[in-house]
Amino acid sequence: MTIKVFIPQDSSAISVGANQVAAKLSEQTGIDLIRNGSRGLFWLEPMIEIETDAGRVAYGPVTVNDIEPLLEQGLLAGEQRHPLCLGLTEEIPFLKNQQRLTFERAGVIDPASLDDYKAHSGYQGLERALTMSSQACVDEVKGSGLRGRGGAAFPTGIKWQTVHDVPGEKKYIVCNADEGDSGTFADRLQMEADPFGLIEGMTIAAIAVGADQGYIYLREEYPHAHAMLNNAIDSAIAANLLGENILDSGKTFNLEVRLGAKSYICGEETALLESLEGKRGVVRAKPPLPAIEGLFGKPTVVNNVLSLSTIPTIFAKGAEYYASFGMGRSRGTMPFQLAGNLKQTGLVELAFGITLNGLLNDFGGGSATDKPLRAVQCGGPLGTYLPESQWGIQMDYEALAGIGGVLGHGGVVAFDTSVDMSEQASFSMEFCAEESCGKCTPCRVGAIRGVETIEKVRNDDDRDANLVLLNSLCNTMESGSLCAMGGMTPFPVKSALEHFSEDFYQPAGSTKSGEQS
Amino acid sequence: MIANTKHQTVLSAIEANQHLEGAMLPILHQIQHDLGHIPSEHVIDIAQALNVSRAEVHGVISFYHSFTTSPKGKHVIEVCRAESCQAKGGRAIEAAVKAKLGIDFEQTTDDGEITLEPVYCLGNCGCSPAVKINSDVYGRVTTDSVENLIDGLLTGQH
Ligand SMILES: Cc1cc2nc3c(=O)[nH]c(=O)nc-3n(C[C@H](O)[C@H](O)[C@H](O)COP(=O)(O)O)c2cc1C
Ligand code: SF4
C-alpha cells in the first residue's frame, strides 16, 4: 500500500510553517505528500495526517525539528507513540462534535483534484439540478431555508427567485469573496480546501436563474485562494463542467476570478458591483435591488462564498435534509469561527442553536492566557461586544438580534481581562473612518468625530459631556447612514459603553493594556 | 522586463486586460504589481483606453488602499490591526515594529528599504497575531520573532 501523508497548503497552516515541515518530510522520506486543505483546527497547525486502516491519524502542531523524532517513532505507520500524536483525526472532540455539511470535504480531499472532489460526492448536486426545471431549482433552495451567510441573512431562495423572474438575456452570478470581517476566515478556508464546491454552487445558481457569466470577487489578501480557484476553474473547463454546453445540457456558464483592492466597503454588495465595473467602491442606494439591476445594470445574484458553497450539499442531499438542522428560522448549519484569545481556535460548523458559552468553552477551550475571558465580539467589526452575562445566548440570527447583537458571518473573537474596552470602541470608530466609502456625512464625518470624542473621554477632558455627545453621535450614525458600515459601527461602541462602562472612567492617559495613549 | 520602460509596462497591462468587462481594476492591479506603483504621468493612457476621464482613473486609484502613485520601499511589512490580533497582543507587535524601524504606518525608512502598512485582517485569525512581509504571512508571531524577521530582511536572508 502506498503511504498517504497529508500536510495542508492552507495559508494559515503555511503562516505557521507548513511548507517548511512539508519540505523536511519529503526530503527525509522521498514521499509525495498530499497538500490538502485545513480541517480548520488552527491551533494544531501545521497538522500532519497519515492514512491508516483505522482512519487518518493526526499529529500537531508539528515543527521542522519534530520531523526526525516523529519518523523514528513510527510516523509513517501511523503509530501513536510521539507526544504530538492526536489520535484519529475524526475522533478529535473539536472535530467529532461538529456537523459538517458545507465543510464536509475541507481537509479531507486534495483541493487541486477534480477526481478527489467527485469521489466525495462532488458534482452530484449539479447533475441533479440539470434534471430539474429552473423553478424547481429555485424551490429547492427555498425549501432548504438557507439564508445568506455573508452577514445580512437574507433568504437565498427568495433572492434567486427575483433574479429568475426578471426577464433578460444577460444575468450574472457574483460571489462575494471579499471576507473583510475581522475574526473570520471561513470563506478563505473553504476556497482553499474545496474550491470546486464554490464553483459547483455558482454553476447551479446560474442554471437556476438563467445566468451565463459569473465572477468571484476575491479580496486581494487571499493569494492562495486565488491560485486554488484558478486551478479549479481550469480543471472544470477541461472537464466540460464550465464553459459552453455544460455536460451536454445546452447550458453555458463562464466564470472568472476578479481581485479586490483592499477596501472593506467593497464587501457591501452594491459597492462590490461598482468595483467590479471598474469604479470607486461607493455604495449604491437601493432600490433598485442588485437582483433586478445589478452588475452593468443586469439582474445579478450576489451571494457569499459559504451560501454558494452550501448549494451542492443541498442539491446532493435534498432540501429537507439541510433544513432538518437548526432552530426556528435559522435552518441548517452555521460555520462559526473561533478567534482571538482562545486555546482552541478554528472553524466550528454546527446547527444553529449552540450557546456562545458552548462555543467558547467546549470548543474554544476557554482563555488562552492565565487571565479569564471578559468580552466577546460576535459578527465582525460591526458586531457588538458581549459581556459574560450574555454568553448563555443561543447562536441563531433572531436570538442575537433580540439582544441587539449580530451573527453576521459567524466570527467570534474573544478577549481576556487585559482588554481596554474604551480602546476597542475607539478602534471601531477609527476603522469606520478609514473604510467609509464617503457617501454619507453621518458615516464619513461622524466616525472621525467619534474617534475624537472617545479620545476626550479617555483623557478625562469634559468626560460627561463628551459621553453624551458620543451617544448622540452614535444615534445619528445609526439613523442617518445609507449602509451598515455607518449604521452599525455604533453597535460595538454602544455595547462597550453599556457593558464595560468602567473602562471609560479610567484616569486620564492610562489604558488597561498599559500603553501610552 | 529589464529593457522595458515604465510606459511600455503600462501599455502592455492595458493591452492584456482592455478586452475584459470592467477592465479598470485588472489593469491597475497589473501595473501596480509590475512597477510597484501606478505612474501618474501614464494615467492618461489608461483613461484613453477605457474611454473615461483622467480624473476618473485618479479617483479609482485614490479610493483603493492597494494602489499607489509613488513607489514603496523594497520590502513591505504589514501588521494586522484587527480585533483577533488585538486580543492576542497585536498592539505590542505594532509598537515593537514601529520602534524597530523608527517609522509610523504609511511611512518608508530613510534608506528606502522598508515600508510599514496597517492591514485590517489577513484571514489568519486562527493563528493570531499575524504580520505579512512582502508576500508571506506569518502567524503566532511574538515581538521577538518579528524583530528577527526584520533583521533577516535587512541582512538579506529573507
Ligand atoms: C460594510 C459591509 C461589508 C460587507 N462585507 C461583506 C463581505 O466581506 N462578504 C460578504 O459575503 N458579505 C458582506 N456584506 C454583505 C453583503 O452586502 C451582502 O449582503 C452579501 O454579499 C449577500 O450574500 P449572502 O446573501 O449570500 O450573504 C457586507 C455588508 C456591509 C454593509
Ligand atoms: S454608511 Fe458609510 S460606507 Fe455606507 S454608504 Fe454611507 S458613507 Fe458609505
Side-chain angles (χ1 to χ4, degrees):
Chain A
M1 188 178 108
T2 51
I3 301 174
K4 277 194 177 172
V5 183
F6 300 81
I7 300 183
Q9 51 73 49
D10 172 272
S11 50
S12 267
I14 292 172
S15 84
V16 289
N19 282 349
Q20 287 81 351
V21 168
K24 175 84 174 179
L25 193 56
S26 321
E27 174 201 303
Q28 296 273 306
T29 64
I31 292 176
D32 270 339
L33 306 169
I34 299 170
R35 300 303 299 271
N36 56 337
S38 174
R39 300 263 192 172
L41 283 56
F42 284 121
W43 85 100
L44 295 174
E45 294 290 0
M47 189 171 97
I48 301 180
E49 289 178 88
I50 310 289
E51 190 161 274
T52 72
D53 291 340
R56 288 193 204 165
V57 177
Y59 306 80
V62 178
T63 66
V64 170
N65 294 336
D66 296 319
I67 296 294
E68 277 179 25
L70 274 167
L71 286 170
E72 279 159 20
Q73 295 185 41
L75 173 77
L76 297 182
E79 284 184 34
Q80 309 203 3
R81 282 181 283 157
H82 194 279
L84 287 180
C85 183
L86 303 160
L88 293 172
T89 314
E90 310 269 348
E91 294 297 320
I92 298 173
F94 187 93
L95 189 58
K96 188 182 173 150
N97 296 329
Q98 298 194 28
Q99 292 152 310
R100 290 213 166 168
L101 304 183
T102 308
F103 284 82
E104 192 186 352
R105 284 175 285 264
V108 176
I109 64 167
D110 174 356
S113 164
L114 178 57
D115 289 339
D116 212 2
Y117 180 68
K118 285 184 170 168
H120 289 81
S121 56
Y123 279 110
Q124 287 177 4
L126 177 66
E127 279 178 21
R128 183 164 161 246
L130 286 172
T131 66
M132 296 158 67
S133 70
S134 59
Q135 183 58 54
C137 289
V138 173
D139 289 341
E140 190 77 11
V141 179
K142 282 188 190 161
S144 74
L146 178 68
R147 291 164 69 182
R149 301 288 186 244
F154 188 82
T156 306
I158 294 179
K159 187 181 284 185
W160 289 22
Q161 185 74 61
T162 308
V163 180
H164 172 273
D165 292 348
V166 182
E169 287 288 294
K170 190 76 191 174
K171 297 180 185 178
Y172 292 99
I173 308 295
V174 170
C175 171
N176 188 340
D178 200 48
E179 193 159 67
D181 280 5
S182 48
T184 71
F185 44 75
D187 293 351
R188 180 189 63 66
L189 174 59
Q190 175 71 5
M191 291 183 283
E192 291 180 356
D194 192 17
F196 291 103
L198 173 57
I199 294 168
E200 183 184 352
M202 291 184 75
T203 311
I204 295 172
I207 286 164
V209 305
D212 68 355
Q213 177 68 44
Y215 290 104
I216 299 172
Y217 185 86
L218 177 70
R219 72 197 299 243
E220 196 195 5
E221 291 88 338
Y222 287 175
H224 293 284
H226 191 196
M228 291 316 296
L229 287 169
N230 277 339
N231 173 73
I233 288 172
D234 289 345
S235 306
I237 292 171
N240 190 219
L241 291 159
L242 275 179
E244 281 173 25
N245 194 21
I246 291 171
L247 297 179
D248 297 324
S249 62
K251 313 267 191 210
T252 295
F253 184 56
N254 294 307
L255 183 56
E256 226 182 277
V257 182
R258 285 295 175 84
L259 292 183
K262 294 199 184 137
S263 159
Y264 177 73
I265 196 59
C266 287
E268 193 283 333
E269 58 185 2
T270 62
L272 185 157
L273 295 174
E274 289 286 299
S275 183
L276 266 180
E277 291 182 9
K279 303 179 191 148
R280 292 163 72 90
V282 176
V283 173
R284 296 178 185 169
K286 287 189 256 187
L289 291 174
I292 294 168
E293 282 180 41
L295 187 61
F296 301 109
K298 304 295 180 202
T300 303
V301 168
V302 183
N303 271 140
N304 171 255
V305 173
L306 301 182
S307 315
L308 289 162
S309 300
T310 303
I311 297 295
T313 305
I314 291 171
F315 278 76
K317 298 206 169 129
E320 304 77 42
Y321 174 78
Y322 189 74
S324 71
F325 295 83
M327 65 183 269
R329 287 177 48 225
S330 301
R331 307 311 315 171
T333 55
M334 182 73 198
F336 300 102
Q337 296 131 80
L338 302 188
N341 184 48
L342 291 171
K343 274 201 192 80
Q344 305 187 152
T345 51
L347 182 100
V348 179
E349 182 179 355
L350 277 178
F352 288 94
I354 177 156
T355 64
L356 181 53
N357 258 323
L359 281 175
L360 296 173
N361 295 313
D362 302 346
F363 285 90
S367 172
T369 61
D370 52 14
K371 298 191 173 86
L373 297 180
R374 178 164 181 244
V376 179
Q377 189 178 31
C378 286
L382 310 178
T384 50
Y385 284 99
L386 308 181
E388 189 168 4
S389 60
Q390 294 184 326
W391 299 347
I393 187 87
Q394 281 187 299
M395 301 292 275
D396 88 342
Y397 295 118
E398 278 69 37
L400 268 163
I403 58 165
V406 278
L407 186 48
H409 185 49
V412 174
V413 181
F415 293 78
D416 70 15
T417 49
S418 64
V419 69
D420 181 334
M421 294 304 295
S422 69
E423 225 173 5
Q424 297 310 117
S426 173
F427 178 78
S428 298
M429 286 290 189
E430 203 186 319
F431 181 68
C432 181
E434 185 70 24
E435 298 296 329
S436 165
C437 83
K439 187 160 183 161
C440 18
T441 317
C443 170
R444 189 187 64 234
V445 180
I448 297 171
R449 297 277 288 128
V451 175
E452 293 164 359
T453 310
I454 296 173
E455 207 46 47
K456 286 186 186 153
V457 169
R458 290 170 44 133
N459 289 334
D460 199 7
D461 174 355
D462 211 354
R463 183 175 271 158
D464 290 329
N466 277 303
L467 281 170
V468 173
L469 182 63
L470 180 59
N471 256 307
S472 87
L473 199 59
C474 283
N475 293 339
T476 308
M477 288 175 75
E478 266 180 59
S479 60
S481 298
L482 182 60
C483 85
M485 178 87 223
M488 285 171 60
T489 290
F491 286 22
V493 176
K494 283 167 103 173
S495 62
L497 283 165
E498 182 182 344
H499 302 297
F500 306 93
S501 60
E502 62 275 23
D503 289 13
F504 294 80
Y505 288 92
Q506 301 166 80
S510 73
T511 71
K512 283 186 69 178
S513 59
E515 278 170 56
Q516 232 47 48
S517 67
Chain B
M1 280 296 293
I2 292 159
N4 240 344
T5 65
K6 278 188 192 177
H7 195 201
Q8 279 169 325
T9 307
V10 170
L11 293 180
S12 53
I14 293 171
E15 162 110 16
N17 296 289
Q18 197 174 7
H19 64 284
L20 299 173
E21 278 188 320
M24 178 81 83
L25 263 64
I27 290 174
L28 296 180
H29 270 304
Q30 187 169 332
I31 299 171
Q32 179 77 39
H33 175 267
D34 291 348
L35 295 176
H37 71 294
I38 299 164
S40 297
E41 65 271 26
H42 300 313
V43 160
I44 180 136
D45 297 291
I46 306 168
Q48 280 171 353
L50 299 180
N51 208 10
V52 297
S53 69
R54 265 194 294 179
E56 196 166 336
V57 182
H58 275 297
V60 173
I61 294 172
S62 65
F63 183 85
Y64 296 96
H65 298 302
S66 296
F67 305 132
T68 53
T69 48
S70 50
K72 297 183 184 179
K74 200 164 108 197
H75 305 287
V76 178
I77 301 183
E78 296 169 77
V79 180
C80 179
R81 293 195 67 209
E83 286 85 350
S84 178
C85 289
Q86 290 169 350
K88 293 283 281 177
R91 286 191 176 90
I93 305 286
E94 196 180 310
V97 174
K98 286 179 182 173
K100 170 107 185 157
L101 298 176
I103 53 174
D104 207 337
F105 282 133
E106 312 289 3
Q107 294 181 346
T108 300
T109 51
D110 286 341
D111 57 7
E113 282 288 306
I114 298 179
T115 297
L116 180 61
E117 293 181 351
V119 64
Y120 298 93
C121 198
L122 292 160
N124 205 37
C125 321
C127 297
S128 288
V131 301
K132 187 172 179 190
I133 300 183
N134 298 326
S135 55
D136 296 322
V137 176
Y138 297 86
R140 290 183 210 139
V141 294
T142 60
T143 48
D144 283 349
S145 74
V146 173
E147 283 172 4
N148 286 338
L149 285 167
I150 295 175
D151 286 335
L153 266 189
L154 295 174
T155 54
Q157 290 161 0
H158 179 68

